Amino acid sequence: MSSSAAVEERRRLCRETKPMVCYHVDGLPAKRGGEELYRALRTAVADGNAVLRESLTIPPRDARSWRVPAGWIWRIVCTEGPQVADMNVWNARDSRERFYSSKTRQIHATHLTTGDRLWSNMPFLRPLATITEDTIAYGFDEDGAGVHDVIGSRCDPYTNFLLSGLTANTCCHSNLTRQALRDGLGETDVHDVLNVFMCTGFTRDTHQYFSKPSPVVPGDYLELLAETDLLVSASTCPQGDVSMACGACGEPDCYPLGVEVYQPRAGWLEEAGWQPSEPSAYA
């Protein structure tokens, strides 16, 4: 057993040491094609360098999925009113590989924006997608809140039942599960999400997860480049803009969201040196 003096010294060292970022992200592999290409992708649609190939609507309190070939772009678009979405991403050829929110959070931040990548789980660990445009670009406010979080999980019927004893079948987990079944997957394939448009953080006093009304307005979108062939699914959260706590009384206003899938001009990415990402070479 350490002496009381040694214990106190160790505690003091911890409290007085300034925080250090755990990952030296400067060592991450560079984006294939270079930063100039990714800057150009931000305006690819407006510049006529990408053509709309598919559009769909995610109804309120429901989920839909879509496929995005490697090198194509997709957007989740606010079309009618403030609404957040819970998004899952899988390798379209092998559903064992999927979005890994905690590793993405460790590498980038608690909230994602333009230039950040969505990393897959081990043993694959590679970029599944890269955010090419975030029209909200919220940053962090004085409460420490940001948008597009990877700190909260999806709302689910199990936690709802645990807290309230009530049955809720339009939670994001339920919506994503029903869509997964339609796609030939199962409930265990549903995983932690990217909370698109959701404004969240941790309270400074109790360090609890909190939400604020989403700042999203019609016309805003989050745009991503598929770094490999993907199956993507998203649920329009039954909490609407999440201005009301989960399990609170009242019925939040919910809206549909739009999805758009674009094909960049043939050969454009490849000419810049872009290639699909590859699974980790570690063995």
Side-chain angles (χ1 to χ4, degrees):
M1 182 72 177
S2 300
S3 68
S4 60
V7 170
E8 288 304 315
E9 174 60 21
R10 193 66 194 177
R11 304 292 193 266
R12 183 199 62 77
L13 174 66
C14 183
R15 291 184 180 280
E16 294 181 1
T17 299
K18 297 297 183 183
M20 63 178 179
V21 176
C22 289
Y23 286 81
H24 293 286
V25 293
D26 290 344
L28 287 173
K31 296 183 178 75
R32 294 180 173 183
E35 294 295 339
E36 184 176 346
L37 172 64
Y38 283 80
R39 284 192 293 271
L41 283 167
R42 298 183 68 175
T43 58
V45 174
D47 294 342
N49 285 319
V51 177
L52 181 66
R53 294 302 187 195
E54 182 183 6
S55 62
L56 57 98
T57 298
I58 310 173
R61 304 180 183 88
D62 206 345
R64 292 292 184 271
S65 68
W66 57 96
R67 292 181 181 270
V68 191
W72 288 32
I73 297 165
W74 83 92
R75 290 177 175 178
I76 296 183
V77 186
C78 179
T79 54
E80 296 185 20
Q83 175 66 47
V84 308
D86 288 36
M87 187 177 73
N88 270 187
V89 184
W90 296 267
N91 176 344
R93 301 175 184 273
D94 183 355
S95 61
R96 295 175 304 166
E97 183 180 11
R98 60 202 51 184
F99 174 51
Y100 188 6
S101 65
S102 61
K103 185 58 66 180
T104 300
R105 179 173 65 247
Q106 287 178 316
I107 290 175
H108 294 301
T110 56
H111 300 74
L112 305 185
T113 190
T114 304
D116 291 334
R117 293 182 267 191
L118 277 59
W119 296 83
S120 67
N121 58 311
M122 295 176 278
F124 310 98
L125 195 59
R126 59 162 160 177
L128 292 177
T130 301
I131 298 175
T132 51
E133 181 62 292
D134 168 15
T135 62
I136 297 176
Y138 188 79
F140 291 90
D141 64 27
E142 62 183 10
D143 295 312
V147 175
H148 313 305
D149 90 59
V150 283
I151 51 177
S153 182
R154 58 217 178 270
C155 58
D156 69 90
Y158 303 99
T159 305
N160 184 78
F161 186 80
L162 179 69
L163 296 175
S164 69
L166 300 176
T167 298
N169 293 319
T170 58
C171 296
C172 286
H173 179 84
S174 303
N175 297 339
L176 290 167
T177 295
R178 283 189 288 270
Q179 183 58 51
L181 291 170
R182 292 192 287 267
D183 290 323
L185 303 175
E187 182 175 10
T188 56
D189 292 303
V190 175
H191 48 278
D192 281 351
V193 297
L194 170 60
N195 283 307
V196 178
F197 303 142
M198 194 165 170
C199 186
T200 62
F202 291 108
T203 59
R204 298 192 190 280
D205 51 355
T206 61
H207 306 286
Q208 290 175 288
Y209 186 52
F210 73 79
S211 65
K212 289 184 167 187
S214 173
V216 70
V217 297
D220 278 326
Y221 60 86
L222 186 70
E223 182 184 87
L224 304 96
L225 172 72
E227 301 285 1
T228 189
D229 294 337
L230 299 176
L231 171 65
V232 186
S233 184
S235 164
T236 44
C237 183
Q239 293 298 116
D241 68 351
V242 199
S243 56
M244 188 180 298
C246 292
C249 296
E251 188 71 16
D253 293 327
C254 294
Y255 297 92
L257 289 171
V259 175
E260 298 170 352
V261 181
Y262 293 87
Q263 180 183 16
R265 175 169 50 82
W268 176 35
L269 274 66
E270 292 76 10
E271 289 167 6
W274 179 88
Q275 294 178 348
S277 65
E278 297 173 351
S280 172
Y282 176 80

